[in-house]
Amino acid sequence: MPQIVFLPHAKLCPDGAVVEAPAGKTLCDVMLDNDIHIEHACEKSCACTTCHVLVREGFNSLNEASETEEDLLDKAWGLEAVSRLSCQAVVADEDLVIEIPKYTINHASEGGH
């Protein structure tokens, strides 16, 4: 079973975390199952960018991003070449290192209309 290292994030995972996750599960579900409460404003339907993560190691082992995901990522805060929406990134058989960006774009939680 692949090991996933979540780097420390001030609000969601202050001490970081190391978990094992079965192949075939999305990164978002792995985080939620392990009490890392990443935002997922669209309920994991690939319609927002609140679950954006940076895959620091193991990026190429994940499933390929869809065109819809790629289009949404263009709107994500802190976009990098290793960016993925965690609700769409499916764990394979390789260990991963994941960074949760400091900020997210969520108008509802930020008081937007």
Side-chain angles (χ1 to χ4, degrees):
M1 201 175 304
Q3 185 178 65
I4 304 177
V5 174
F6 293 98
L7 299 176
H9 180 278
K11 285 177 76 175
L12 302 177
C13 189
D15 297 323
V18 178
V19 303
E20 289 190 351
K25 201 162 206 175
T26 66
L27 286 172
C28 187
D29 285 334
V30 170
M31 285 186 276
L32 295 172
D33 290 349
N34 288 280
D35 296 321
I36 302 171
H37 301 287
I38 190 161
E39 290 188 67
H40 51 287
C42 70
E43 294 301 318
K44 305 182 274 186
S45 66
C46 195
C48 72
T49 63
T50 59
C51 71
H52 169 229
V53 296
L54 302 165
V55 184
R56 295 295 182 202
E57 291 181 23
F59 181 85
N60 290 328
S61 72
L62 300 172
N63 61 312
E64 190 171 326
S66 68
E67 188 174 324
T68 301
E69 180 183 355
E70 293 283 353
D71 288 345
L72 283 167
L73 281 169
D74 287 340
K75 302 171 186 172
W77 183 91
L79 179 67
E80 293 186 20
V82 294
S83 289
R84 287 297 305 266
L85 297 181
S86 66
C87 70
Q88 301 300 302
V90 178
V91 175
D93 56 359
E94 195 172 308
D95 292 347
L96 302 167
V97 175
I98 305 299
E99 179 180 351
I100 303 168
K102 184 176 182 178
Y103 299 108
T104 185
I105 298 171
N106 183 347
H107 295 293
S109 69
E110 294 168 4
H113 302 286

